Amino acid sequence: QVQLVESGGGLVQAGGSLRLSCTASGIILSINTMNWFRQAPGKERELVAASSSGGRTNYADSVKGRFTISRDNAKKTVYLQMNSLKPEDTAVYYCNADAVAAGTGWFDYWGQGTQVTVSS
């Protein structure tokens, strides 16, 4: 099993910044992608940013130029630096990882989510 624990959410004014972190734990053999999703009230969960183990990244159009995903493979941690935050960025942010743990196959794992609220 793999556990993902997020931190760094909170309340911030529009134009401000937050940095989310997500660390994977467990007897992990390998992690492929590590991603950030978000879900706003009444909306479907959407991909915000994705990172591959090789360093490639991808962003939703709505966050390009404002958010940056990065990861420390040695620490099994992925980060999301969020700048120039807007009220429409308000959502629960979820960490997601495609990983394989000892004794299992590849699975898609999710964190518990962290609330980000941007006030206008």
Side-chain angles (χ1 to χ4, degrees), residues 7-90:
S7 62
L11 173 64
V12 64
Q13 288 188 332
S17 298
L18 283 174
R19 188 191 194 211
L20 306 183
S21 300
C22 170
T23 299
S25 63
I27 306 176
I28 300 169
L29 301 180
S30 184
I31 301 175
N32 186 10
T33 59
M34 294 189 83
N35 313 305
W36 288 97
F37 285 74
R38 68 185 180 188
Q39 188 166 20
K43 294 187 177 181
E44 293 187 354
R45 191 171 296 189
E46 63 173 352
L47 177 66
V48 175
S51 72
S52 72
S53 58
R56 286 191 297 180
T57 59
N58 190 36
Y59 297 92
D61 287 343
S62 59
V63 306
K64 282 180 181 176
R66 300 188 298 122
F67 291 10
T68 302
I69 189 170
S70 60
R71 60 193 278 181
D72 184 330
N73 290 326
K75 294 182 178 180
K76 299 182 179 64
T77 298
V78 64
Y79 306 95
L80 185 67
Q81 178 66 43
M82 305 185 293
N83 298 328
S84 302
L85 282 160
K86 304 175 181 180
E88 50 264 44
D89 294 318
T90 295

